[in-house]
Amino acid sequence: MTDRAQIEVSVGHSDGVDRLLDNPVWSALSGPQAKFAERAGRAARYRADVSVFAGLDDDPDAAAWADAARLPGSDMVLVGPQAPPPSDWAIQARVTGLQMLAQCVEAVAEPEAVPLGRGDVGDMLALISRTRPGPFLAGTIELGHYLGIRRDGVLVAMAGERVRLPGWTEVSAVCTDQALRGSGLASRLVRAVVAGIEARGDRALLHVAATNASAISLYRTLGFVERREIDFVLVRPPADAPRPVARSG
């Protein structure tokens, strides 16, 4: 694994902003996206139809992990966990990603892009299944604005917004049909999504698998810079944990 000091960039953050970015899902679900949260004390996850991601409060102790075990559902993906799970939790998979920030992106609208809504979810899911950019569920579209490009009526490229924390919005679901990769559609859509984010006063960030060299190269070319490595950890709570229904929002 790359040493964090090798990829950390200085963007003039305060300690508070760094804490938000280090724990993005908790920052979102305890803040701007609280309405999408299933929450138990110091742990929260997105509604099951919206996203697989979950987060715990900063510096979680045993009580916070006990809260996480009470969340509805079973497996969840912790993003940037601040501590390893207790020994009775099962780690199913771990993916190391890079958190990248839009530092000098040429954010411009894209004339060919069309807004995507609930009526487009079937086409969006079909494109996701062909391209596999990462988790995207039927309700994910509720998290933000999505843009797409169609050719002969077929959705061939899209990008949009997912995790939103105070002052920051994540660019996500960036994908293009195999036959059109390299044609610039992804770049155009990312610039347009960033333009929308910046228009409302937020800054843009994104997460990409550390092994996805082609995507990292594209995002660097667009003006994103690596801030830090960040883990995505698929975990399962202990089977005997008490599981009352958590409250929403």
Side-chain angles (χ1 to χ4, degrees), residues 123-136 154-159 172-181 185-186 212 214-215:
D123 290 344
M124 297 169 78
L125 291 172
L127 179 59
I128 291 290
S129 71
R130 299 194 300 272
T131 57
R132 300 189 180 280
F136 186 93
V154 178
L155 184 66
V156 296
M158 74 176 195
S172 183
V174 180
C175 54
T176 305
D177 261 335
Q178 180 67 40
L180 292 169
R181 289 181 185 172
L185 297 185
N212 193 342
S214 60

Short mmCIF file of all heavy atoms in Angstrom, two decimals, residues 123-136 154-159 172-181 185-186 212 214-215:
data_model
loop_
_atom_site.label_atom_id
_atom_site.label_comp_id
_atom_site.label_asym_id
_atom_site.label_seq_id
_atom_site.Cartn_x
_atom_site.Cartn_y
_atom_site.Cartn_z
N ASP A 123 -32.84 2.08 -17.53
CA ASP A 123 -31.73 2.24 -18.46
C ASP A 123 -30.42 2.46 -17.72
O ASP A 123 -29.36 1.97 -18.14
CB ASP A 123 -31.98 3.43 -19.39
CG ASP A 123 -33.11 3.16 -20.38
OD1 ASP A 123 -33.48 1.97 -20.56
OD2 ASP A 123 -33.61 4.12 -20.98
N MET A 124 -30.48 3.18 -16.60
CA MET A 124 -29.26 3.42 -15.81
C MET A 124 -28.73 2.11 -15.24
O MET A 124 -27.53 1.84 -15.28
CB MET A 124 -29.56 4.43 -14.70
CG MET A 124 -29.96 5.81 -15.22
SD MET A 124 -30.62 6.90 -13.93
CE MET A 124 -29.09 7.41 -13.11
N LEU A 125 -29.63 1.29 -14.70
CA LEU A 125 -29.21 0.01 -14.14
C LEU A 125 -28.65 -0.91 -15.22
O LEU A 125 -27.70 -1.67 -14.98
CB LEU A 125 -30.37 -0.65 -13.41
CG LEU A 125 -30.82 0.03 -12.11
CD1 LEU A 125 -32.11 -0.61 -11.60
CD2 LEU A 125 -29.73 -0.03 -11.05
N ALA A 126 -29.22 -0.84 -16.42
CA ALA A 126 -28.71 -1.65 -17.53
C ALA A 126 -27.29 -1.21 -17.90
O ALA A 126 -26.42 -2.06 -18.14
CB ALA A 126 -29.65 -1.54 -18.74
N LEU A 127 -27.05 0.11 -17.94
CA LEU A 127 -25.71 0.61 -18.25
C LEU A 127 -24.74 0.22 -17.14
O LEU A 127 -23.59 -0.18 -17.40
CB LEU A 127 -25.76 2.12 -18.43
CG LEU A 127 -24.42 2.82 -18.73
CD1 LEU A 127 -23.78 2.26 -20.00
CD2 LEU A 127 -24.61 4.33 -18.84
N ILE A 128 -25.18 0.33 -15.90
CA ILE A 128 -24.33 -0.07 -14.76
C ILE A 128 -23.95 -1.54 -14.88
O ILE A 128 -22.80 -1.93 -14.64
CB ILE A 128 -25.07 0.20 -13.43
CG1 ILE A 128 -25.21 1.71 -13.17
CG2 ILE A 128 -24.35 -0.49 -12.27
CD1 ILE A 128 -23.94 2.42 -12.84
N SER A 129 -24.90 -2.38 -15.25
CA SER A 129 -24.62 -3.81 -15.33
C SER A 129 -23.62 -4.12 -16.44
O SER A 129 -22.86 -5.09 -16.34
CB SER A 129 -25.92 -4.60 -15.54
OG SER A 129 -26.43 -4.40 -16.85
N ARG A 130 -23.60 -3.28 -17.49
CA ARG A 130 -22.66 -3.50 -18.59
C ARG A 130 -21.27 -2.99 -18.28
O ARG A 130 -20.29 -3.49 -18.81
CB ARG A 130 -23.17 -2.83 -19.87
CG ARG A 130 -24.50 -3.32 -20.38
CD ARG A 130 -24.78 -2.88 -21.81
NE ARG A 130 -24.81 -1.46 -22.02
CZ ARG A 130 -25.89 -0.69 -21.89
NH1 ARG A 130 -27.04 -1.23 -21.48
NH2 ARG A 130 -25.84 0.62 -22.13
N THR A 131 -21.19 -1.96 -17.43
CA THR A 131 -19.91 -1.26 -17.24
C THR A 131 -19.32 -1.44 -15.85
O THR A 131 -18.12 -1.24 -15.65
CB THR A 131 -20.08 0.23 -17.52
OG1 THR A 131 -21.11 0.77 -16.67
CG2 THR A 131 -20.49 0.47 -18.98
N ARG A 132 -20.14 -1.72 -14.84
CA ARG A 132 -19.72 -2.01 -13.47
C ARG A 132 -18.79 -0.94 -12.87
O ARG A 132 -17.66 -1.24 -12.47
CB ARG A 132 -19.05 -3.39 -13.40
CG ARG A 132 -19.97 -4.50 -13.85
CD ARG A 132 -19.41 -5.86 -13.58
NE ARG A 132 -20.31 -6.90 -14.04
CZ ARG A 132 -21.39 -7.33 -13.38
NH1 ARG A 132 -21.70 -6.79 -12.21
NH2 ARG A 132 -22.16 -8.28 -13.87
N PRO A 133 -19.26 0.31 -12.77
CA PRO A 133 -18.42 1.35 -12.17
C PRO A 133 -18.38 1.31 -10.65
O PRO A 133 -17.54 1.96 -10.03
CB PRO A 133 -19.09 2.64 -12.65
CG PRO A 133 -20.55 2.27 -12.74
CD PRO A 133 -20.55 0.84 -13.26
N GLY A 134 -19.30 0.56 -10.03
CA GLY A 134 -19.39 0.52 -8.58
C GLY A 134 -20.84 0.41 -8.15
O GLY A 134 -21.74 0.35 -8.99
N PRO A 135 -21.09 0.37 -6.85
CA PRO A 135 -22.46 0.15 -6.37
C PRO A 135 -23.43 1.23 -6.86
O PRO A 135 -23.17 2.43 -6.75
CB PRO A 135 -22.31 0.22 -4.84
CG PRO A 135 -20.87 -0.09 -4.58
CD PRO A 135 -20.12 0.48 -5.74
N PHE A 136 -24.54 0.79 -7.42
CA PHE A 136 -25.61 1.69 -7.85
C PHE A 136 -26.90 0.89 -7.77
O PHE A 136 -27.02 -0.17 -8.38
CB PHE A 136 -25.38 2.19 -9.28
CG PHE A 136 -26.37 3.24 -9.72
CD1 PHE A 136 -26.09 4.59 -9.56
CD2 PHE A 136 -27.58 2.87 -10.27
CE1 PHE A 136 -27.00 5.56 -9.96
CE2 PHE A 136 -28.51 3.84 -10.66
CZ PHE A 136 -28.22 5.17 -10.51
N VAL A 154 -30.46 4.96 -26.81
CA VAL A 154 -29.83 4.09 -25.81
C VAL A 154 -28.92 4.92 -24.91
O VAL A 154 -28.10 5.71 -25.40
CB VAL A 154 -29.02 2.97 -26.49
CG1 VAL A 154 -28.31 2.11 -25.44
CG2 VAL A 154 -29.92 2.12 -27.37
N LEU A 155 -29.06 4.74 -23.60
CA LEU A 155 -28.17 5.43 -22.65
C LEU A 155 -26.78 4.80 -22.75
O LEU A 155 -26.61 3.61 -22.45
CB LEU A 155 -28.71 5.31 -21.23
CG LEU A 155 -27.94 6.06 -20.15
CD1 LEU A 155 -28.04 7.57 -20.35
CD2 LEU A 155 -28.46 5.68 -18.76
N VAL A 156 -25.78 5.59 -23.17
CA VAL A 156 -24.45 5.05 -23.40
C VAL A 156 -23.40 5.61 -22.44
O VAL A 156 -22.28 5.09 -22.38
CB VAL A 156 -23.99 5.30 -24.85
CG1 VAL A 156 -24.89 4.55 -25.83
CG2 VAL A 156 -23.95 6.79 -25.18
N ALA A 157 -23.74 6.64 -21.69
CA ALA A 157 -22.79 7.21 -20.73
C ALA A 157 -23.57 7.98 -19.68
O ALA A 157 -24.63 8.55 -19.97
CB ALA A 157 -21.78 8.12 -21.41
N MET A 158 -23.03 8.02 -18.46
CA MET A 158 -23.68 8.80 -17.42
C MET A 158 -22.67 9.13 -16.31
O MET A 158 -21.58 8.55 -16.23
CB MET A 158 -24.89 8.08 -16.84
CG MET A 158 -24.59 6.92 -15.93
SD MET A 158 -26.13 6.25 -15.22
CE MET A 158 -25.48 5.24 -13.89
N ALA A 159 -23.05 10.07 -15.48
CA ALA A 159 -22.30 10.44 -14.28
C ALA A 159 -23.25 11.22 -13.39
O ALA A 159 -24.24 11.80 -13.87
CB ALA A 159 -21.07 11.28 -14.62
N SER A 172 -19.94 10.45 -8.97
CA SER A 172 -20.03 8.99 -8.93
C SER A 172 -20.73 8.46 -10.17
O SER A 172 -21.25 9.23 -10.99
CB SER A 172 -20.78 8.55 -7.67
OG SER A 172 -20.82 7.15 -7.57
N ALA A 173 -20.74 7.11 -10.29
CA ALA A 173 -21.41 6.41 -11.39
C ALA A 173 -20.94 6.89 -12.75
O ALA A 173 -21.73 7.03 -13.69
CB ALA A 173 -22.93 6.53 -11.27
N VAL A 174 -19.64 7.16 -12.86
CA VAL A 174 -19.07 7.59 -14.13
C VAL A 174 -18.85 6.35 -14.99
O VAL A 174 -18.04 5.48 -14.66
CB VAL A 174 -17.74 8.33 -13.91
CG1 VAL A 174 -17.16 8.78 -15.26
CG2 VAL A 174 -17.92 9.52 -12.98
N CYS A 175 -19.59 6.23 -16.08
CA CYS A 175 -19.46 5.02 -16.90
C CYS A 175 -19.85 5.31 -18.35
O CYS A 175 -20.67 6.19 -18.63
CB CYS A 175 -20.30 3.88 -16.34
SG CYS A 175 -22.05 4.25 -16.06
N THR A 176 -19.22 4.56 -19.25
CA THR A 176 -19.44 4.68 -20.69
C THR A 176 -19.45 3.29 -21.29
O THR A 176 -18.64 2.43 -20.91
CB THR A 176 -18.32 5.50 -21.35
OG1 THR A 176 -18.21 6.77 -20.72
CG2 THR A 176 -18.58 5.70 -22.84
N ASP A 177 -20.35 3.04 -22.21
CA ASP A 177 -20.37 1.76 -22.91
C ASP A 177 -19.01 1.46 -23.52
O ASP A 177 -18.32 2.36 -24.00
CB ASP A 177 -21.43 1.78 -24.02
CG ASP A 177 -22.72 1.10 -23.61
OD1 ASP A 177 -22.68 0.23 -22.73
OD2 ASP A 177 -23.77 1.42 -24.19
N GLN A 178 -18.65 0.18 -23.51
CA GLN A 178 -17.34 -0.25 -23.97
C GLN A 178 -17.01 0.28 -25.36
O GLN A 178 -15.90 0.75 -25.63
CB GLN A 178 -17.26 -1.78 -23.96
CG GLN A 178 -15.93 -2.35 -24.41
CD GLN A 178 -14.79 -2.04 -23.45
OE1 GLN A 178 -14.99 -2.10 -22.25
NE2 GLN A 178 -13.63 -1.71 -23.98
N ALA A 179 -17.96 0.24 -26.27
CA ALA A 179 -17.70 0.63 -27.66
C ALA A 179 -17.37 2.11 -27.81
O ALA A 179 -16.78 2.52 -28.82
CB ALA A 179 -18.91 0.28 -28.53
N LEU A 180 -17.73 2.92 -26.80
CA LEU A 180 -17.53 4.37 -26.90
C LEU A 180 -16.46 4.88 -25.94
O LEU A 180 -16.25 6.09 -25.86
CB LEU A 180 -18.85 5.09 -26.64
CG LEU A 180 -19.92 4.90 -27.72
CD1 LEU A 180 -21.26 5.43 -27.25
CD2 LEU A 180 -19.51 5.58 -29.01
N ARG A 181 -15.79 3.98 -25.24
CA ARG A 181 -14.74 4.43 -24.34
C ARG A 181 -13.60 5.05 -25.13
O ARG A 181 -13.25 4.59 -26.20
CB ARG A 181 -14.25 3.27 -23.48
CG ARG A 181 -15.27 2.86 -22.44
CD ARG A 181 -14.81 1.72 -21.57
NE ARG A 181 -15.88 1.30 -20.67
CZ ARG A 181 -15.83 0.24 -19.89
NH1 ARG A 181 -14.74 -0.53 -19.89
NH2 ARG A 181 -16.85 -0.07 -19.11
N LEU A 185 -16.67 11.01 -23.69
CA LEU A 185 -17.98 11.19 -23.06
C LEU A 185 -17.86 11.31 -21.54
O LEU A 185 -18.51 12.15 -20.92
CB LEU A 185 -18.92 10.04 -23.42
CG LEU A 185 -19.29 9.88 -24.90
CD1 LEU A 185 -20.32 8.77 -25.06
CD2 LEU A 185 -19.82 11.18 -25.48
N ALA A 186 -17.04 10.45 -20.94
CA ALA A 186 -16.89 10.50 -19.48
C ALA A 186 -16.33 11.84 -19.04
O ALA A 186 -16.81 12.44 -18.06
CB ALA A 186 -15.99 9.35 -19.00
N ASN A 212 -7.36 1.04 -10.36
CA ASN A 212 -7.95 1.46 -11.64
C ASN A 212 -7.10 2.56 -12.25
O ASN A 212 -7.44 3.74 -12.21
CB ASN A 212 -9.39 1.93 -11.42
CG ASN A 212 -10.16 2.08 -12.72
OD1 ASN A 212 -9.58 2.15 -13.81
ND2 ASN A 212 -11.47 2.13 -12.60
N SER A 214 -6.40 3.47 -15.31
CA SER A 214 -6.93 4.28 -16.42
C SER A 214 -7.86 5.38 -15.90
O SER A 214 -7.80 6.52 -16.38
CB SER A 214 -7.65 3.40 -17.43
OG SER A 214 -8.73 2.71 -16.83
N ALA A 215 -8.70 5.04 -14.92
CA ALA A 215 -9.61 6.05 -14.37
C ALA A 215 -8.83 7.11 -13.61
O ALA A 215 -9.12 8.31 -13.71
CB ALA A 215 -10.64 5.39 -13.47
#
